[in-house]
Amino acid sequence: MGRWQGGASERLKEAALGLFSTRGYDRTTVAEIAAAAGVTERTFFRHYADKREVLFVDQTEFERAFLSSLPETGDDPMRLIAAVLDGAATLFPEERRAWSRARQTVITTNVALQERELLKMSTLALTLTRALTTRGIDPTSAALAAESGVTVFRTAFTVWVTETETRTFPAIQQTVLTRLHALIG
Amino acid sequence: MGRWQGGASERLKEAALGLFSTRGYDRTTVAEIAAAAGVTERTFFRHYADKREVLFVDQTEFERAFLSSLPETGDDPMRLIAAVLDGAATLFPEERRAWSRARQTVITTNVALQERELLKMSTLALTLTRALTTRGIDPTSAALAAESGVTVFRTAFTVWVTETETRTFPAIQQTVLTRLHALIG
């Protein structure tokens, strides 16, 4: 059994993505998702606020994966961000690629989902900016380093979910970060 | 008369921002905006699809301001982007600062407006990415340069609308771009 087939929350994720992919996000109802996962609507709403949220991990949990890799010491913004990106890369093992790929396809078909995804990334950048400023890094440098880190992460993610891509997420992200340094240096 | 007091479109902008600032975005109706601008609701809808759109310039027009400064020749992504940013800076003369500042305050109070703003910036980054790839620049470098350019623009804009900031938009943006090079180089 894969990691997404455990509890009701994972079954709902699988069921929702299957329905979104085959019949379209707009035409899928919460009742249908719950039925496909073999649970009640009430159970659905115990796990997710609405059908959109099925596609998004909890923001706090998502940010924790980044922040937990922030080194305890150091004040070079881009070195700190590089360590954060290394840690975040572990969120995307191979067994998650198929799910992420299908999810990405659904998101690109719907403006509201794109907006939700952008807000998630923007909020992450703000959280990283704050984490850097508490290290004494000035606000502008902190914002630029955090935003650049999120850009590297998003760019790597886009490459990783490309249909024919086979390199691992950490390998792709490292290449993208190196490319950024070469471009802007 | 300032630049925002010309036609109905500008009067609607002024009226809307005034109402959003004093009574709140959510509590302001299109009918009230139209009345405050001295026009009918029908006139409002000839200019804007909804009250949200009053706060956003036309995306095509916005992007044109960036693309029109893209040099005809050259293949260094960050040099091309620097020229694009220089051109875009002319969109933000001093007489626009008060309006932009009030607009920013309204946007930060409302998640839907923040999402709309993020989508506008993300779409701009995609348009710039495409413009760079048509120059033969590889997609990853094009995306990184375009996203970095948008990050510099947004960071500069945030500084420019800060309550006590007095430097001009072009001066701030140049400083931010220089800082980015120092950080990532």
Side-chain angles (χ1 to χ4, degrees):
Chain A
M1 302 255 284
R3 58 180 291 169
W4 301 109
Q5 300 179 328
S9 167
E10 280 66 33
R11 289 211 311 282
L12 283 163
K13 257 188 213 293
E14 281 289 357
L17 190 59
L19 288 164
F20 294 163
S21 300
T22 52
R23 82 172 51 178
Y25 175 79
D26 287 330
R27 280 190 296 275
T28 299
T29 65
V30 165
E32 290 166 335
I33 297 168
V39 302
T40 62
E41 276 192 71
R42 196 194 180 102
T43 298
F44 177 94
F45 288 116
R46 258 210 309 278
H47 292 278
Y48 303 104
D50 53 44
K51 69 177 180 176
R52 192 168 76 154
E53 290 311 307
V54 180
L55 294 170
F56 296 90
V57 296
D58 177 74
Q59 182 81 20
T60 310
E61 200 180 297
F62 177 67
E63 293 185 358
R64 194 179 300 131
F66 285 77
L67 289 174
S68 64
S69 306
L70 186 67
E72 294 286 327
T73 57
D75 60 1
D76 178 330
M78 285 308 289
R79 268 180 205 273
L80 293 170
I81 287 296
V84 164
L85 290 175
D86 279 348
T90 62
L91 281 176
F92 302 94
E94 280 316 290
E95 63 264 33
R96 193 162 170 180
R97 176 138 46 178
W99 197 87
S100 293
R101 201 172 259 159
R103 172 184 177 279
Q104 188 75 357
T105 304
V106 171
I107 285 178
T108 54
T109 63
N110 185 290
V111 170
L113 294 176
Q114 287 167 41
E115 289 185 341
R116 176 72 181 75
E117 180 84 338
L118 289 168
L119 187 65
K120 180 178 105 176
M121 291 298 168
S122 172
T123 306
L124 169 64
L126 278 179
T127 300
L128 294 177
T129 299
R130 257 182 247 120
L132 295 180
T133 54
T134 61
R135 294 296 176 84
I137 294 167
D138 73 277
T140 301
S141 297
L144 289 173
E147 292 282 357
S148 297
V150 172
T151 293
V152 168
F153 171 76
R154 288 174 53 203
T155 305
F157 187 85
T158 303
V159 172
W160 186 61
V161 296
T162 302
E163 208 51 64
T164 55
E165 182 59 52
T166 56
R167 289 171 298 166
T168 65
F169 188 92
I172 294 167
Q173 189 171 251
Q174 190 52 57
T175 304
V176 172
L177 182 59
T178 303
R179 181 77 59 91
L180 181 72
H181 280 282
L183 260 183
I184 299 192
Chain B
M1 303 253 284
R3 59 180 291 170
W4 300 110
Q5 300 180 327
S9 167
E10 280 68 32
R11 287 210 312 281
L12 284 163
K13 257 190 214 291
E14 281 290 358
L17 190 58
L19 288 165
F20 294 163
S21 301
T22 52
R23 82 170 53 177
Y25 175 79
D26 286 331
R27 280 190 295 277
T28 300
T29 65
V30 166
E32 289 166 336
I33 297 168
V39 302
T40 62
E41 277 192 68
R42 196 194 182 102
T43 298
F44 176 95
F45 288 115
R46 258 210 309 277
H47 291 278
Y48 302 104
D50 53 43
K51 70 177 180 176
R52 190 168 77 154
E53 289 310 306
V54 181
L55 294 171
F56 296 90
V57 297
D58 177 75
Q59 181 82 20
T60 311
E61 201 181 296
F62 177 67
E63 294 185 357
R64 194 179 300 129
F66 285 78
L67 289 174
S68 64
S69 306
L70 186 69
E72 294 286 329
T73 56
D75 61 2
D76 178 330
M78 284 307 291
R79 269 180 203 275
L80 293 169
I81 287 297
V84 164
L85 290 176
D86 279 348
T90 63
L91 282 176
F92 302 95
E94 281 315 293
E95 64 264 32
R96 192 161 170 180
R97 177 138 45 177
W99 197 88
S100 293
R101 202 171 260 160
R103 171 184 177 279
Q104 188 75 357
T105 303
V106 172
I107 286 179
T108 53
T109 63
N110 185 290
V111 170
L113 295 176
Q114 287 167 40
E115 289 185 341
R116 176 71 180 76
E117 180 83 340
L118 288 168
L119 188 65
K120 180 178 107 176
M121 291 299 167
S122 172
T123 307
L124 169 64
L126 278 179
T127 300
L128 294 176
T129 299
R130 259 183 245 118
L132 294 180
T133 54
T134 62
R135 293 297 175 82
I137 294 166
D138 73 276
T140 300
S141 297
L144 289 173
E147 293 281 357
S148 297
V150 172
T151 292
V152 168
F153 170 77
R154 287 174 54 202
T155 304
F157 186 85
T158 303
V159 173
W160 186 61
V161 296
T162 302
E163 208 51 64
T164 55
E165 182 59 53
T166 57
R167 290 171 297 166
T168 66
F169 188 92
I172 295 167
Q173 189 171 251
Q174 189 54 55
T175 303
V176 173
L177 182 59
T178 303
R179 181 77 61 92
L180 182 73
H181 279 283
L183 260 184
I184 300 193

